[in-house]
Amino acid sequence: MNLKELARLLNLSQTTVSRALNGYPEVNEATRQRVLQAVKATGYRPNKAAQRLATGKAGSIGLVMPTGTGDGTDLHFAEFLSGLGEIAETNDVQLVIDPSRVGNEAMAFQRLAASGTVDALCLSYVRASDPRIDTLKSLRLPFLVHGRHVGSAPDYPFMDIDNCGAFRDAARLLLQLGHRRIALLNGLADLSFAARRHEGMGEALAEYGIALEEGFCQHTGMTEENGYRGTMRFLDMDEAPTAILCSSIVLALGATRAINQRGLKIGRDISLIAHDDVFPYLKPENFSTPLTTTTSSIRAAGARVAERLIGEAAGRKGLPQQEIWKADLIVRASTGPVPTRKRRGTGRHDEAAE
Amino acid sequence: MNLKELARLLNLSQTTVSRALNGYPEVNEATRQRVLQAVKATGYRPNKAAQRLATGKAGSIGLVMPTGTGDGTDLHFAEFLSGLGEIAETNDVQLVIDPSRVGNEAMAFQRLAASGTVDALCLSYVRASDPRIDTLKSLRLPFLVHGRHVGSAPDYPFMDIDNCGAFRDAARLLLQLGHRRIALLNGLADLSFAARRHEGMGEALAEYGIALEEGFCQHTGMTEENGYRGTMRFLDMDEAPTAILCSSIVLALGATRAINQRGLKIGRDISLIAHDDVFPYLKPENFSTPLTTTTSSIRAAGARVAERLIGEAAGRKGLPQQEIWKADLIVRASTGPVPTRKRRGTGRHDEAAE
DNA sequence: CGATCTATTCAAAGCGCTTTGGAGGAGCGC
DNA sequence: GCGCTCCTCCAAAGCGCTTTGAATAGATCG
């Protein structure tokens, strides 16, 4: 069933039927109703490809899915996607995702853009320095970056959370609790959020005249395994940290395992703060010791990104170009004052820097 | 840059250029090279919408993403998607995902199908009894079901793993080790894989004359929290199970937490087997006690589904219509002989049935 | 009453691609 | 030289939709 048939069926021209369907004013209300009736009766659906061809609008937004990274990226991607999806659904917009091997995304973007399958593009998993942003800028499509590069001030639309502030606040809390040796289990170093969290933590330490030593930092894929290994390495140090910041709840999972295995008690012997992207299946409040977190729903971020992207594709103006959400610092039982009596290592010991 | 311009540029007709690009034989190899050169130089990409309209082929496969279920579904979906994506990428096929609120998927499928944006559809997260399959059958598009309904023999193409066999084998192993009180932490009861695993476990127990009691079964979303709670409930029983089967590694995570909290030792005091979908960020071998698992990569399944779907969309015949993969039972340290001396509860105690 | 609006409707021209049905020329056998 | 087949290439007809530019009819007006 296509427009032509439908029009013939109604003894109308395609023009009129098309207009009736798309809400143009120059069609009699009675005929519009007649058309709507017929649509319902026949189950007619406009062919999207034809619509695209005719209008140039695709009715979908594109995103590039990093495939097979194996670093726990997928976990966040799924949740982000879920948020995107919710908004996309209510706006009757489809998501077309172009899977692409890492390093090949620029091509994937070009393909998506040139093929005219999407009205707007979304970039996620931004690297600290990311050439894909330039690719995006060179395309003539609206786009939105989830995250932002590090260094210069971004001159493109983005939506990001205040990773720097989050980890600054988290580190401050620990410092206020008397911790001086604080370690960081971070995501891969070239990811922008990882760089920013590192930075924020460094800032807080600096306020106490402490330097963030690289020995106290791990940059890895955010898997349970890496969380475990990193924590073990920290705990094995002569001057082991009394607190650890984790860039992901999955890392915290591994950290918890390591700490438990050592017979230490989280919140008493060692403090733990993790960034929580709010996964429904793994909640920080359900850890054996409920986890203090910096919290920001990545799903909500996805929803917001979709909202803006759809708006922009529709030509709506006046949307904020750059947006940074603060993450909440939610204190639970995994943080406590620095242990006064030594349990392991040498106990309290200020590491003044500079 | 479009075909017409490109053709003019080359002093060729659109026909010839189109044919050169699509690998038709009736074009001189020399001119084909010339065309290819020009494409490279100009960065020409065929407009997908136009191609779709002309050929009726969309060059993409559609899947419906269940949105906002909050039951840990997303986790598996992401990994599955990742597998789909890998194959889709190499075949230059896009994935269009239609997010849809649960219960609304039938409409989403119809929308996808009628709009002509996809060549084939994939259904995942099959329920034990699933009306969406009928929807799919009524559409005139190739489709593939990941999973299969329970009850009658499926009369549609699917790809599934042998959930029944996997949990039968797993339960058998436990039975051989002397366990008689075995519990099940399952996914939501209306999901087909959950039903099948329940069934398989029941079969194994039946071989030993044991009935699978509902008190030993939990059907919930596969979150860490539910794993923990369920396990706690089991451990609190007078006749607590000596072994637990988990339908997901995330459930096992919660189970581990509960067991540890009780001061029990996995593999000695209580045995644990989980189904492992092979998530890169959470590996059973890295649990504090490495987990015995029934293993089948959901990513590989996604890849296979994509392969078949793409083949079918291309009209390739002779592909197997129904496919069931066996899951490997990989024994690690979380399973051991049933404890002989009682630690908790009443120790060994046969619960003969019937 | 002829002229000017206004409210509806329509025919036809694309959108950028594929594909059908030739056309022109080279090569061949007779 | 003629008819034939091959090999290349082309013009033009769609695919199903939107949209431009008119046409028609009824209403309004001087």
Side-chain angles (χ1 to χ4, degrees):
Chain A
M1 171 61 63
N2 57 20
L3 231 210
K4 201 196 268 184
E5 293 178 56
L6 189 66
R8 181 149 40 219
L9 200 80
L10 286 161
N11 273 324
L12 286 172
S13 73
Q14 294 191 38
T15 313
T16 307
V17 177
S18 170
R19 287 195 162 142
L21 291 175
N22 295 324
Y24 281 71
E26 59 264 77
V27 46
N28 193 327
E29 194 49 37
T31 46
R32 188 194 305 278
Q33 288 310 324
R34 215 155 61 85
V35 170
L36 259 28
Q37 287 293 327
V39 166
K40 217 164 237 167
T42 58
Y44 165 78
R45 295 266 168 192
N47 179 304
K48 212 114 189 169
Q51 270 180 326
R52 283 179 192 182
L53 191 55
T55 59
K57 291 283 164 205
S60 62
I61 70 188
L63 59 169
V64 168
M65 171 175 77
T67 177
T69 55
D71 59 0
T73 288
D74 323 310
L75 201 69
H76 302 80
F77 185 76
E79 197 63 14
F80 180 70
L81 193 62
S82 211
L84 270 171
E86 258 166 45
I87 300 302
E89 191 216 348
T90 62
N91 288 66
D92 203 20
V93 160
Q94 291 172 345
L95 301 177
V96 4
I97 86 175
D98 199 315
S100 135
R101 225 163 293 281
V102 173
N104 210 17
E105 297 104 329
M107 246 192 54
F109 276 128
Q110 265 153 351
R111 195 168 47 202
L112 267 177
S115 71
T117 30
V118 299
D119 298 322
L121 286 170
C122 164
L123 169 62
S124 46
Y125 293 98
V126 177
R127 320 266 162 76
S129 154
D130 204 320
R132 295 175 298 171
I133 293 175
D134 286 325
T135 306
L136 239 26
K137 284 198 276 191
S138 76
L139 268 25
R140 225 169 311 143
L141 232 49
F143 70 94
L144 185 52
V145 176
H146 179 218
R148 64 197 197 278
H149 79 274
V150 172
S152 52
D155 58 341
Y156 46 84
F158 70 80
M159 113 120 252
D160 198 0
I161 63 169
D162 182 9
N163 284 298
C164 181
F167 269 44
R168 192 192 318 112
D169 292 350
R172 267 190 199 142
L173 172 65
L174 293 170
L175 287 159
Q176 286 161 6
L177 288 168
H179 295 272
R180 291 298 177 268
R181 293 198 307 282
I182 307 175
L184 173 64
L185 289 176
N186 211 348
L188 288 170
D190 64 337
L191 292 173
S192 75
F193 74 81
R196 283 229 161 61
R197 289 178 189 171
H198 184 269
E199 182 191 342
M201 182 174 164
E203 284 177 18
L205 287 171
E207 292 168 1
Y208 283 70
I210 304 174
L212 176 48
E213 292 172 27
E214 275 315 303
F216 269 17
C217 295
Q218 172 184 286
H219 302 274
T220 58
M222 301 193 290
T223 68
E224 193 271 351
E225 184 169 359
N226 286 328
Y228 173 81
R229 290 208 185 139
T231 304
M232 277 305 192
R233 227 194 53 229
F234 290 149
L235 295 180
D236 282 339
M237 291 176 153
D238 279 344
E239 304 255 307
T242 61
I244 302 178
L245 252 52
C246 298
S247 253
S248 155
I249 198 140
V250 178
L251 284 168
L253 204 56
T256 302
R257 172 159 67 100
I259 294 168
N260 285 340
Q261 189 170 322
R262 280 295 159 85
L264 298 174
K265 174 99 185 74
I266 294 177
R268 187 190 60 189
D269 304 321
I270 186 162
S271 287
L272 205 59
I273 301 183
H275 181 75
D276 178 24
D277 292 294
V278 192
F279 298 134
Y281 37 84
L282 188 56
K283 300 181 178 167
E285 59 265 40
N286 292 326
F287 273 53
S288 42
T289 304
L291 235 49
T292 295
T293 55
T294 57
T295 304
S296 184
S297 164
I298 195 169
R299 172 187 293 255
R304 178 60 182 152
V305 165
E307 216 169 82
R308 281 182 52 185
L309 238 25
I310 290 172
E312 220 142 326
R316 225 169 297 147
K317 289 289 168 198
L319 289 162
Q321 284 301 293
Q322 308 189 328
E323 207 167 341
I324 300 178
W325 286 1
K326 276 212 85 57
D328 298 318
L329 177 59
I330 302 182
V331 177
R332 300 196 183 83
S334 71
T335 40
V338 66
T340 47
R341 299 192 340 193
K342 49 172 141 179
R343 297 198 157 266
R344 291 180 39 82
T346 59
R348 193 170 179 286
H349 172 104
D350 283 352
E351 298 179 28
E354 300 178 347
Chain B
M1 172 60 62
N2 56 20
L3 230 209
K4 201 196 269 184
E5 293 179 56
L6 189 67
R8 181 148 40 218
L9 199 81
L10 286 161
N11 274 323
L12 285 172
S13 73
Q14 293 192 36
T15 314
T16 306
V17 177
S18 171
R19 287 194 164 144
L21 290 176
N22 295 323
Y24 282 72
E26 57 265 76
V27 46
N28 193 329
E29 195 49 36
T31 47
R32 188 193 305 276
Q33 288 310 323
R34 214 155 62 84
V35 170
L36 260 28
Q37 287 293 328
V39 165
K40 218 164 239 170
T42 59
Y44 165 78
R45 295 271 167 189
N47 179 305
K48 212 111 189 171
Q51 268 180 327
R52 283 180 192 182
L53 191 54
T55 59
K57 291 284 165 202
S60 63
I61 69 188
L63 59 169
V64 168
M65 171 174 78
T67 177
T69 56
D71 59 0
T73 287
D74 323 311
L75 200 70
H76 302 80
F77 185 76
E79 196 62 16
F80 180 70
L81 193 61
S82 210
L84 270 171
E86 258 165 43
I87 300 303
E89 191 216 349
T90 62
N91 289 66
D92 203 20
V93 160
Q94 290 171 345
L95 300 177
V96 5
I97 85 175
D98 198 316
S100 137
R101 226 164 291 281
V102 173
N104 210 16
E105 297 104 330
M107 246 192 54
F109 276 128
Q110 265 154 351
R111 195 169 46 202
L112 268 178
S115 72
T117 29
V118 299
D119 298 321
L121 287 169
C122 164
L123 169 63
S124 45
Y125 292 98
V126 177
R127 321 266 162 75
S129 153
D130 204 320
R132 295 176 297 171
I133 293 175
D134 286 326
T135 306
L136 240 26
K137 284 197 276 191
S138 76
L139 268 25
R140 226 169 311 142
L141 274 179
F143 70 93
L144 184 51
V145 177
H146 179 217
R148 63 197 198 276
H149 80 273
V150 172
S152 51
D155 58 341
Y156 47 82
F158 69 80
M159 114 119 251
D160 199 0
I161 64 170
D162 183 9
N163 284 299
C164 181
F167 269 44
R168 193 192 316 113
D169 293 349
R172 267 190 200 143
L173 172 65
L174 293 170
L175 288 159
Q176 286 160 6
L177 288 167
H179 295 272
R180 291 299 177 267
R181 293 197 307 282
I182 306 175
L184 173 65
L185 289 177
N186 210 349
L188 288 169
D190 63 337
L191 292 172
S192 75
F193 74 82
R196 283 229 160 61
R197 289 178 188 171
H198 184 270
E199 182 191 342
M201 182 173 165
E203 284 177 17
L205 287 171
E207 292 168 2
Y208 283 70
I210 304 173
L212 176 49
E213 293 172 26
E214 275 315 305
F216 268 17
C217 295
Q218 172 183 289
H219 302 274
T220 58
M222 300 193 291
T223 68
E224 194 271 352
E225 185 171 359
N226 286 329
Y228 173 81
R229 290 205 184 140
T231 305
M232 276 305 194
R233 227 193 54 230
F234 290 149
L235 295 180
D236 282 339
M237 291 177 152
D238 280 343
E239 303 255 309
T242 61
I244 303 179
L245 251 53
C246 299
S247 253
S248 156
I249 198 136
V250 178
L251 284 168
L253 204 56
T256 302
R257 173 159 67 99
I259 294 168
N260 285 340
Q261 189 169 322
R262 280 294 158 85
L264 298 176
K265 173 100 185 76
I266 294 177
R268 187 190 63 190
D269 304 321
I270 186 163
S271 286
L272 205 58
I273 300 183
H275 180 76
D276 178 24
D277 291 294
V278 191
F279 299 134
Y281 37 82
L282 189 55
K283 300 182 180 168
E285 59 265 41
N286 291 326
F287 273 54
S288 41
T289 304
L291 235 50
T292 295
T293 55
T294 57
T295 303
S296 183
S297 164
I298 196 169
R299 172 187 292 255
R304 178 60 182 152
V305 165
E307 215 170 82
R308 282 182 53 184
L309 238 25
I310 290 171
E312 221 142 326
R316 224 169 298 147
K317 288 290 169 200
L319 288 161
Q321 284 300 292
Q322 308 189 329
E323 207 168 341
I324 299 178
W325 286 1
K326 276 212 85 58
D328 298 318
L329 177 59
I330 302 182
V331 177
R332 299 196 185 81
S334 71
T335 41
V338 66
T340 46
R341 300 189 341 189
K342 50 171 141 179
R343 297 199 155 261
R344 292 182 39 82
T346 60
R348 190 170 180 288
H349 174 104
D350 283 352
E351 298 179 29
E354 299 178 348

